[in-house]
Amino acid sequence: MIKKFIRRVFRFGSGSEPRTVPKEQHGVAREAISQGSRKVCEVLHSHGYEAYVVGGAVRDLLLGLRPKDFDVATDAYPEEVHKIFRRSRLIGKRFKLVHVMFGEETVEVSTFRARTATETDEHGRVLRDNIYGTREDDAIRRDFTINALYYDPAGETLLDYHNGLRDLQRKSVRIIGDARARYREDPLRMLRAVRFAAKAGFSIDERTRKPIRELAHLLENVPPSRVYEEMQKLLLSGHAATGLRQLRSEGLHHGLLPLLDVIIEQPMGERFVTLALEQTDSRVRSGKSVSPAFLFAALLWHEVLAAWKKAQQRGQKPIPALYEAMDTVLDIQTDKLAIPRRLTAVMKEIWALQPRFEQRSGRRPFGLLGHERFRAGFDFLVLRSGSGEAPEELAQWWEKFQQAGEAERQAMLMAPQPGEARRRRRRRRKSALPPPDTSPA
Ligand code: ATP
Ligand code: MG
């Protein structure tokens, strides 16, 4: 079965010569590529090897976008590349790569890969392959035609094996070879198709798009850490709102983020998530930094709210119930999408701050203001109030409280709520309660 798939992939474009496109036609001058990748290509050439800038960087340059990083493909073996560049590191188990460092820049150098997958699991997913091949082989192993363009900085020419340039002009994401076979080899390619379409405003070619719904379940076999990386790229692409909408319309959202399963039935959750995504997209597009922890906290907040409510209905006190809810949601989530621990720690802090915004008497607001995560917590509150889940008046109060001088702050303080004063006199249980206020009033 798998052999048949591979044969089909083989036939497609095998033995074909690339189209060589001169600079006058593609318009990318060598100055457009990073100094590091240019230098890597030059040095490899001088040692008698081939070297090209490939993948996302070439695609983005042709689209007039600024590439995030530059990858180089070569016929030199990783060990040889490592030997040539003093400041380099051999990395990777599944695929050996070399990272070459130039000042701040790191250029990823990979050796042309062979076209045959060596070891697959029962679904046809590639588990290991470290066998090298020719440039043609390498091109056929890439995922989409727009990602399989090879730029030669020396001659400023572009090598196009699979009509990638035509697809760029047509604004189409098209897989190389047989879509089903390629998705079975690596189901993550389905997510990648959606990500590239959203990022570039392209559509997904019909034959590339069609099998996705049927094969979506194969994503369950992909290691969660790879899924996480791909999702993070999608969410921070500046086109997260479009991307998630498309994931949903292709049937790819199930199990990736539980929230994506339920927002359709939860109008409030949808409003909240849409706001969070739009805000993130506009920050990314204007070159501002965004926090993945904040975004993931937002994506999962309505899950936390639902679990929190349930825990309270079982008779738990509000704060311990919130902590339990956060763990429940993160445990379920981590099975599918391994959100790194450093992020989940921050997400929990943001969530745990939310009930503290309701306490506006005595010294507590001052303590909260001095909290390390106050800004993120407050921005989160603003989102909640923007979506109608928290009172607008609450977010406005905190906005004003931050701006106000000392006397005005004192005047803004409210009388303690009935429960608040009592709770304060009781001994706090370390694990279940937020840290006590420490900053001076
Ligand atoms: P981005 O700019 O978002 O990083 P990219 O195209 O550079 O996009 P990478 O994940 O960095 O994406 O991969 C670099 C290149 O490696 C791709 O352009 C593609 O040619 C190839 N590639 C990456 N992942 C796969 C995959 N799962 N299957 C086949 N080829 C892949
Ligand atoms: Mg890349």
Side-chain angles (χ1 to χ4, degrees):
M1 177 91 153
I2 286 148
K3 275 197 188 131
K4 203 176 95 195
F5 282 136
I6 291 171
R7 265 205 308 278
R8 245 198 268 169
V9 179
F10 264 25
R11 265 207 307 277
F12 184 90
S14 71
S16 61
E17 282 297 304
R19 202 180 128 213
T20 305
V21 187
K23 183 182 156 196
E24 301 77 67
Q25 280 175 38
H26 61 69
V28 177
R30 69 173 72 87
E31 289 72 32
I33 69 168
S34 70
Q35 277 194 332
S37 59
R38 228 185 308 164
K39 189 86 188 142
V40 168
C41 290
E42 267 172 37
V43 172
L44 286 170
H45 280 166
S46 71
H47 281 77
Y49 297 111
E50 289 181 56
Y52 302 87
V53 177
V54 286
V58 183
R59 177 197 67 223
D60 289 349
L61 283 175
L62 289 163
L63 287 171
L65 303 171
R66 226 179 80 199
K68 279 195 313 281
D69 39 41
F70 288 78
D71 298 333
V72 167
T74 177
D75 59 350
Y77 289 146
E79 291 76 9
E80 295 171 325
V81 177
H82 180 47
K83 228 187 265 165
I84 292 174
F85 296 96
R86 207 168 45 86
R87 291 195 59 218
S88 70
R89 255 200 322 258
L90 259 175
I91 58 152
K93 275 192 212 131
R94 195 168 156 243
F95 303 121
K96 265 194 208 161
L97 298 167
V98 183
H99 277 175
V100 182
M101 278 75 78
F102 281 95
E104 300 259 286
E105 192 185 352
T106 298
V107 181
E108 195 167 284
V109 184
S110 60
T111 304
F112 294 149
R113 294 226 218 102
R115 60 177 72 180
T116 39
T118 37
E119 200 183 314
T120 58
D121 69 6
E122 71 270 27
H123 307 282
R125 189 166 70 83
V126 177
L127 294 177
R128 214 188 323 277
D129 71 339
N130 253 334
I131 298 180
Y132 307 116
T134 62
R135 199 178 59 204
E136 289 81 346
D137 294 337
D138 189 77
I140 216 168
R141 285 291 302 278
R142 292 186 181 268
D143 46 8
F144 304 102
T145 62
I146 55 171
N147 286 347
L149 294 161
Y150 294 67
Y151 181 75
D152 170 19
E156 297 182 308
T157 50
L158 202 64
L159 302 179
D160 182 2
Y161 285 89
H162 301 287
N163 276 321
L165 213 49
R166 181 201 62 188
D167 290 337
L168 268 179
Q169 277 149 5
R170 288 185 182 170
K171 296 181 178 288
S172 173
V173 176
R174 189 164 59 86
I175 200 142
I176 297 172
D178 178 75
R180 271 167 215 281
R182 301 306 309 281
Y183 294 150
R184 281 183 195 281
E185 270 174 14
D186 184 1
L188 210 59
R189 289 172 185 150
M190 297 186 273
L191 268 189
R192 290 172 61 84
V194 169
R195 173 159 81 83
F196 295 127
K199 178 176 161 181
F202 281 22
S203 57
I204 305 177
D205 159 75
E206 193 48 31
R207 285 229 286 265
T208 302
R209 193 186 67 78
K210 207 147 177 246
I212 292 182
R213 182 171 296 279
E214 185 195 324
L215 299 179
H217 65 279
L218 292 178
L219 272 175
E220 285 166 23
N221 307 318
V222 179
S225 57
R226 286 191 75 211
V227 178
Y228 172 77
E229 252 178 59
E230 216 33 69
M231 278 300 287
Q232 172 164 324
K233 278 190 173 185
L234 183 137
L235 292 171
L236 303 182
S237 67
H239 303 271
T242 320
L244 288 194
R245 226 174 292 129
Q246 183 144 16
L247 277 187
R248 216 155 74 184
S249 70
E250 301 303 340
L252 271 176
H253 59 293
H254 285 287
L256 283 181
L257 283 165
L259 158 127
L260 294 179
D261 289 347
V262 294
I263 46 180
I264 304 159
E265 295 116 55
Q266 288 186 0
M268 196 97 102
E270 172 142 34
R271 171 103 194 90
F272 179 77
V273 166
T274 307
L275 265 181
L277 291 172
E278 282 169 358
Q279 205 180 76
T280 307
D281 284 347
S282 81
R283 283 188 69 91
V284 172
R285 290 193 211 181
S286 56
K288 290 190 196 141
S289 68
V290 294
S291 141
F294 185 90
L295 185 54
F296 278 108
L299 290 174
L300 294 171
W301 173 240
H302 277 257
E303 287 289 300
V304 173
L305 280 181
W308 187 11
K309 199 166 143 196
K310 263 193 211 149
Q312 290 187 78
Q313 280 164 352
R314 281 200 309 273
Q316 284 247 45
K317 291 236 162 61
I319 299 301
L322 173 58
Y323 277 73
E324 186 193 290
M326 298 192 300
D327 285 335
T328 309
V329 168
L330 287 173
D331 283 350
I332 299 171
Q333 192 55 64
T334 311
D335 279 351
K336 302 283 183 197
L337 184 90
I339 302 176
R341 225 169 241 291
R342 66 192 152 79
L343 291 197
T344 56
V346 181
M347 290 163 69
K348 279 187 179 180
E349 283 185 291
I350 293 173
W351 289 335
L353 284 178
Q354 297 312 306
R356 292 180 60 183
F357 283 104
E358 281 160 37
Q359 303 171 345
R360 291 181 275 173
S361 64
R363 293 157 56 104
R364 290 177 177 194
F366 296 95
L368 192 50
L369 214 49
H371 192 284
E372 202 194 354
R373 298 276 172 222
F374 174 80
R375 189 72 222 176
F378 170 71
D379 287 344
F380 203 81
L381 173 69
V382 171
L383 266 185
R384 291 173 57 214
S385 79
S387 70
E389 183 249 316
E392 260 178 66
E393 170 271 329
L394 187 62
Q396 283 159 0
W397 188 92
W398 277 100
E399 175 77 57
K400 196 167 158 209
F401 192 72
Q402 289 173 73
Q403 316 291 338
E406 188 55 34
E408 199 184 345
R409 280 182 182 169
Q410 290 295 345
M412 283 177 75
L413 294 176
M414 296 189 167
Q417 305 278 307
E420 251 180 75
R422 223 178 34 243
R423 216 171 37 234
R424 217 180 333 166
R425 277 197 295 274
R426 254 195 252 142
R427 257 192 88 208
R428 288 162 188 263
R429 279 221 328 267
K430 247 194 200 150
S431 62
L433 285 168
D437 301 341
T438 48
S439 60

